[in-house]
Amino acid sequence: DIQMTQSPASLSASVGDRVTITCQASQDISRYLNWYQQRPGKAPKLLIYDASILETGVPSRFSGSGSGTDFTLTISSLQPEDFATYYCQQYDHLQGTFGGGTKVDIK
Amino acid sequence: QVTLKESGPVLVKPTETLTLTCTVSGFSLSNVRMGVSWIRQPPGKALEWLAHIFSNDEKSYSTSLESRLDISKDTSKSQVFLTMTNMDPADTATYYCARIFVSYCSIGNCYSADHWGQGALVSVSS
């Protein structure tokens, strides 16, 4: 099975900061990589698919990059509504494994 | 407007079988570019993908839970079902269903959960 490892598990940041979250796959997953945001008590929300394609309606301060085994989610200027937990997910047509999550909270 | 809603028991006993229903609207389960996944999240923990089903009845399951899971659908009723056998307290979680959208991507087809239900908390306790 493909394992997805996110780092860090948590981080503290201030409004306006640039934030980077990484996700590593245990084997080559090409660009089958999604990113989700989950606010407390809410269902996850799709941010990025195909490693770097922004879902409709997602602010342009979010960006994704990578291919193969190493991927990155970047928030260019953190906003108050961005304090949440972020998950990566590899999703080929067989399995949809999630990473362990990265909690972004207020410094 | 796409919506998904999970329904099922709030409490099940250990060793019992759980059956959850996901009722969808705003899209058809016969659409070849769409499917439905089940995902769960134990309290305070990470998301865990469980299973998916597509319009052609193609199914896939989490390797670690495959022996306990069954996913099916009733296209005419716009419903997707998940059964999980031999429930254990460790299965206590919020269970989500989500629409899987098959996009044309740089690598061919790619799959993402673009709409989610609100989730249903299922507790396992005697």
Side-chain angles (χ1 to χ4, degrees), chain B residues 99-122:
Chain B
R99 186 180 81 166
I100 303 305
F101 189 77
V102 184
S103 307
Y104 296 109
C105 295
S106 59
I107 40 148
N109 286 343
C110 60
Y111 305 79
S112 58
D114 68 341
H115 288 84
W116 294 64
Q118 63 190 22
L121 177 60
V122 178

Side-chain angles (χ1 to χ4, degrees), chain A residues 90-97, chain B residues 49-52 54 58-63 111:
Chain A
Q90 74 82 19
Y91 208 153
D92 59 19
H93 69 288
L94 296 175
Q95 297 274 311
T97 315
Chain B
W49 181 85
L50 299 177
H52 71 215
F54 286 94
E58 175 191 339
K59 307 172 186 180
S60 187
Y61 298 97
S62 164
T63 304
Y111 305 79

Side-chain angles (χ1 to χ4, degrees), chain B residues 27-94:
Chain B
F27 71 100
S28 171
L29 296 176
S30 63
N31 190 312
V32 296
R33 300 207 69 80
M34 296 173 190
V36 171
S37 260
W38 285 95
I39 299 113
R40 71 177 181 180
Q41 185 172 39
K45 295 188 176 181
L47 300 168
E48 179 181 19
W49 181 85
L50 299 177
H52 71 215
I53 188 166
F54 286 94
S55 59
N56 61 358
D57 226 33
E58 175 191 339
K59 307 172 186 180
S60 187
Y61 298 97
S62 164
T63 304
S64 61
L65 293 168
E66 185 167 12
S67 63
R68 299 173 55 205
L69 294 174
D70 182 68
I71 191 170
S72 61
K73 63 182 173 72
D74 184 333
T75 301
S76 65
K77 294 184 177 180
S78 296
Q79 292 181 323
V80 176
F81 310 100
L82 182 75
T83 61
M84 180 179 290
T85 61
N86 194 25
M87 293 291 284
D88 181 271
D91 296 314
T92 293
T94 297

